[in-house]
Amino acid sequence: LKLQFLYFIGEKREKKRGKKRREETQYTMTRWGIISTGKIANDFALAIAKAGGVLEAVASRSEENAERFAKQHGFKRHYNSYEQIYADSNIDIIYIATPHSHHFECVMQALENSKNVLCEKPLCPTMWQTEKCVAKAREKNVFLMEGVWTRFFPTVREAKKVAENDLGKLVSVWSSFGFNAGNGPQTGRIFEKELAGGALLDVGVYPLNWVVMLLGEPVKVQATGTLASTGVDDFVAATLTFSCGAVAQIQAATTCTLTNDTHVTGKNGIIHVPTPSHCPDTLTTKLVPQGSNDPLLLGAVKTTTTRPLDPPHCGLAPGYNFIGSQGFVHEVLAVQSALEKGLKECAEAPLDETLIVAKVSQEIRKQIGVTYSWDQ
């Protein structure tokens, strides 16, 4: 009887502990709000659901779009104004997926309402806007991050680790991202100046993030490029020089498909991240064995590492609008983890590096002659 009694008491305690764990899990489940109902918002909503986040509310300036999107993804509520989602006390973080031109206004209003914010890249079109957003987040003591999903892919994390621990002194980084937006008239968001279009802000931020993530802030930027008839850049090439002696080169285009890969070279070897290196699942390293004399890396140890996406990386995954979008889940998980720990930034995407990318982007635009109405 005594043993039965002890077993009964132990069972009750275990049930109580299990209930407490479930309550804690429910409490820490991140409640997401999304502003905008476009293609990237669709892909991100799928990632939230996959990462175990809560689809709390979506906002659009179109009641019809908000309702449709909410039903499609299973959001609890939908709003026909952004102001309503800023005021929703049941939301832990807002993901902003509007066109680039609207990022600054949306981010600042969300921060003013003491909301945690994840904004799709670029955080803002200009340096001064980016600085104001970062300053406001720090003033309000809330979370802010620029949504550069590349930084969170397991392959990219692995490449950064190898670069820091195995390559020795870094000598160069090469990275490109370009696609053919079509041979017809240059129209649409990518080419519209008032929507902050252009190759640099649309896809050039990915090569730039590779470079800044590995080398930090450059001491010199030299850029050239061509402009579309609308006044935005359609091809950009830039060389960045660093105080450590390393040199980086980036390219971005909306008129042609580039190699879309990334090469990192150090004294002890090479990392190659093949296309598409903005959302990769594979990397190859060639490392010189310690103490060997192999100037051409002919006897280097070659290792190929694959971190498959789910579903595996092969064009568009079902239900998504962009190649590799199933990898958004890594970004969502990192943000949720940071929020649960009470952090105000993500270690993989620190705000200081967001500021560097914004500064370099503005310098490149200045050199190639691209201006926006928000420039000061």
Side-chain angles (χ1 to χ4, degrees):
L1 288 173
K2 187 176 180 180
L3 287 173
Q4 287 179 330
F5 175 74
L6 289 173
Y7 177 80
F8 174 73
I9 293 297
E11 191 176 36
K12 282 191 70 175
R13 285 176 178 170
E14 183 56 35
K15 285 181 179 179
K16 189 174 181 181
R17 281 195 292 267
K19 182 180 179 183
K20 185 178 180 182
R21 282 195 295 269
R22 287 192 299 274
E23 287 173 349
E24 287 173 348
T25 302
Q26 289 169 357
Y27 178 75
T28 56
M29 286 177 68
T30 306
R31 300 168 299 180
W32 288 84
I34 292 183
I35 290 180
S36 190
T37 58
K39 291 181 178 181
I40 201 75
N42 170 84
D43 292 7
F44 200 82
L46 293 175
I48 292 172
K50 194 169 186 176
V54 179
L55 295 166
E56 195 71 27
V58 61
S60 171
R61 287 180 174 151
S62 162
E63 172 75 27
E64 181 182 350
N65 287 345
E67 183 178 9
R68 172 192 54 78
F69 196 87
K71 286 182 178 179
Q72 178 184 351
H73 292 283
F75 281 85
K76 295 180 182 180
R77 295 177 301 288
H78 67 275
Y79 300 121
N80 61 5
S81 77
Y82 298 165
E83 289 71 25
Q84 290 172 292
I85 204 167
Y86 300 142
D88 190 331
S89 61
N90 291 312
I91 289 175
D92 297 315
I93 184 166
I94 294 176
Y95 171 65
I96 296 170
T98 61
H100 305 161
S101 51
H102 294 67
H103 284 185
F104 177 64
E105 178 186 357
C106 291
V107 171
M108 287 297 286
Q109 288 184 2
L111 295 175
E112 285 287 4
N113 282 271
S114 297
K115 282 286 188 282
N116 298 308
V117 174
L118 169 62
C119 180
E120 191 52 51
K121 60 79 192 164
L123 182 59
C124 296
T126 70
M127 179 62 184
W128 74 266
Q129 291 173 322
T130 307
E131 288 177 324
K132 287 202 73 170
C133 288
V134 171
K136 179 59 68 174
R138 289 171 174 169
E139 173 197 325
K140 291 286 188 176
N141 195 32
V142 294
F143 180 92
L144 174 64
M145 194 183 93
E146 178 182 35
V148 184
W149 64 331
T150 302
R151 288 172 171 261
F152 300 92
F153 278 71
T155 299
V156 176
R157 287 170 167 162
E158 179 69 17
K160 188 172 186 288
K161 181 180 176 182
V162 172
E164 291 173 345
N165 298 324
D166 301 318
L167 281 194
K169 182 181 178 182
L170 296 186
V171 177
S172 73
V173 177
W174 155 268
S175 189
S176 74
F177 188 177
F179 67 100
N180 189 340
N183 298 318
Q186 292 181 322
T187 59
R189 176 189 61 80
I190 293 171
F191 295 104
E192 288 190 34
K193 207 170 189 181
E194 289 310 306
L195 293 180
L200 180 64
L201 292 191
D202 199 66
V203 294
V205 292
Y206 295 111
L208 268 181
N209 269 273
W210 266 106
V211 170
V212 172
M213 178 179 68
L214 296 172
L215 294 172
E217 183 170 5
V219 294
K220 185 178 181 181
V221 177
Q222 296 172 287
T224 187
T226 59
L227 305 188
S229 58
T230 56
V232 303
D233 53 295
D234 55 19
F235 182 87
V236 175
T239 300
L240 289 66
T241 307
F242 296 81
S243 59
C244 63
V247 174
Q249 295 173 302
I250 67 151
Q251 291 186 353
T254 54
T255 56
C256 61
T257 303
L258 300 177
T259 55
N260 297 341
D261 58 351
T262 297
H263 296 258
V264 185
T265 305
K267 291 288 188 179
N268 299 332
I270 295 171
I271 299 171
H272 177 225
V273 183
T275 183
S277 67
H278 71 292
C279 56
D281 61 1
T282 303
L283 79 150
T284 297
T285 61
K286 287 185 179 180
L287 300 175
V288 178
Q290 191 171 4
S292 69
N293 181 21
D294 187 8
L296 296 181
L297 299 181
L298 298 178
V301 178
K302 182 178 178 180
T303 304
T304 298
T305 304
T306 301
R307 299 282 187 268
L309 302 182
D310 181 21
H313 204 298
C314 55
L316 285 176
Y320 294 95
N321 292 302
F322 298 99
I323 291 173
S325 275
Q326 63 269 45
F328 263 129
V329 68
H330 302 298
E331 182 181 45
V332 175
L333 287 169
V335 170
Q336 292 181 164
S337 176
L339 292 177
E340 289 170 10
K341 293 173 184 175
L343 302 177
K344 308 307 174 187
E345 299 183 33
C346 243
E348 294 93 338
L351 291 174
D352 285 346
E353 291 188 7
T354 295
L355 290 167
I356 293 171
V357 171
K359 183 179 179 180
V360 174
S361 296
Q362 184 148 305
E363 178 59 27
I364 290 173
R365 286 198 299 108
K366 178 182 177 182
Q367 291 186 26
I368 64 176
V370 174
T371 59
Y372 297 124
S373 60
W374 313 279
D375 284 322
Q376 292 184 341

